[in-house]
Amino acid sequence: MSGDPTIGFLKADVARFCAGLDERAPAIRLRLLVQLRSALDEVTDTALDEGMAAAKAEGWGLRQIGGQVGLSHEKVRYRLAQVAGRGEPAGEPS
C-alpha cells in the first residue's frame, strides 16, 4: 500500500503486539485487540481530520481530498464541519 518505510515499521510493531497475545486467554486476547483497534482508530481519525483540514486550508477541493483519503466529498464536508463545530480536531463521528 505504501512505500514509506515508517508504515512498515508501525505495521511490524502492531503485528508483534498481536503475536504476543497468542498465549493469552481468549477473553483477554479479544479485549486487548478491541482496545488496540479503538486506540488506533482514535489516533488515525484525528490525524486524518487534521490532514483534511490542512489540505482544505491550502485550497484543495472536497473531491480532491476525498479522492486522496477514500471518502466521498460529502463525507469530507461532514467531517470538516464536525471538526470546525467543535473548534478542535476530532475523530470519526458515529
Side-chain angles (χ1 to χ4, degrees):
M1 183 159 105
S2 172
D4 190 328
T6 56
I7 299 298
F9 289 130
L10 288 170
K11 186 175 178 179
D13 285 344
V14 171
R16 272 191 296 278
F17 174 83
C18 292
L21 300 177
D22 288 347
E23 300 301 319
R24 301 280 184 130
I28 295 170
R29 182 179 184 180
L30 292 173
R31 180 177 45 82
L32 290 171
L33 287 169
V34 168
Q35 288 175 350
L36 172 64
R37 180 179 273 177
S38 177
L40 291 173
D41 285 348
E42 181 181 335
V43 169
T44 56
D45 282 351
T46 298
L48 183 63
D49 289 344
E50 291 171 354
M52 289 190 304
K56 181 74 173 141
E58 286 186 3
W60 288 34
L62 298 177
R63 290 182 194 277
Q64 185 180 11
I65 295 168
Q68 288 293 313
V69 301
L71 296 173
S72 71
H73 71 283
E74 288 300 328
K75 185 66 174 182
V76 171
R77 180 189 321 277
Y78 176 80
R79 288 179 67 143
L80 291 173
Q82 292 297 306
V83 170
R86 286 189 287 270
E88 60 186 43
E92 172 79 32
S94 300

